[in-house]
Amino acid sequence: MRQVLSIAALVAVAAFVGQSFAAEEGKAICPVAGKPANPAQTVDYKGGTVSLCCGKCKAAFTANPKKFAAKANLQLVATKQAKQVNCPFAGKPVNPAQSVTVAGTEVKFCCGNCKGKAAKAEGDEQIKLIFNDKAFEKGFKVTEK
């Protein structure tokens, strides 16, 4: 009986932990430190708002936004302030069947070649490839506030 209660307790804890992780999904990540962003620490960026984790990161971002552009652009898309309008590589209309998930965000491409290029990259390299300023301008548009 004691083992059954222990197992039930573990299942309950696992369910609670799973819920708390799910509640964290979709939250902004600081493009400077990679930590959860603080909604009180924001900067205007490309017609949207980028959230940072602290004042130090806000100062670093403000001093050199180009250095953090790819991750800031990703945050705009992840927080639904920007929407995808074209392939970030070719600037052509997207094919919904040609998509890759990048840092938890689905990105669509025009063809298998572009999708393959994106899928070959990993981690920060993939983010820089798909969300650099040139690719962002081709494929995404910041929505009106």
Side-chain angles (χ1 to χ4, degrees):
M1 177 72 173
R2 188 175 191 174
Q3 288 178 333
V4 171
L5 290 175
S6 295
I7 292 171
L10 285 173
V11 169
V13 169
F16 175 76
V17 170
Q19 286 176 347
S20 62
F21 281 127
E24 295 296 318
E25 289 178 16
K27 288 198 175 185
I29 301 298
C30 176
V32 177
K35 297 177 181 178
N38 177 351
Q41 296 291 333
T42 63
V43 295
D44 290 335
Y45 181 72
K46 294 186 179 181
T49 302
V50 170
S51 297
L52 300 116
C53 64
C54 64
K56 187 175 177 182
C57 286
K58 182 176 179 177
F61 184 87
T62 303
N64 191 0
K66 286 201 176 285
K67 180 177 180 181
F68 307 105
K71 290 185 179 180
N73 293 336
L74 169 60
Q75 187 187 112
L76 291 175
V77 175
T79 58
K80 301 194 184 328
Q81 295 178 71
K83 66 178 182 174
Q84 186 169 9
V85 293
N86 287 311
C87 174
F89 297 146
K92 296 178 182 178
V94 297
N95 177 347
Q98 303 294 333
S99 68
V100 172
T101 301
V102 180
T105 300
E106 183 182 35
V107 181
K108 297 176 181 101
F109 300 90
C110 60
C111 64
N113 288 337
C114 289
K115 175 186 174 182
K117 180 179 175 181
K120 285 180 187 174
E122 295 179 354
D124 284 352
E125 180 185 328
Q126 189 180 49
I127 292 169
K128 288 177 185 175
L129 179 67
I130 298 169
F131 292 101
N132 68 68
D133 280 337
K134 185 177 177 182
F136 187 79
E137 289 172 16
K138 282 185 181 182
F140 302 91
K141 181 180 180 185
V142 176
T143 56
E144 299 295 321
K145 284 186 180 182

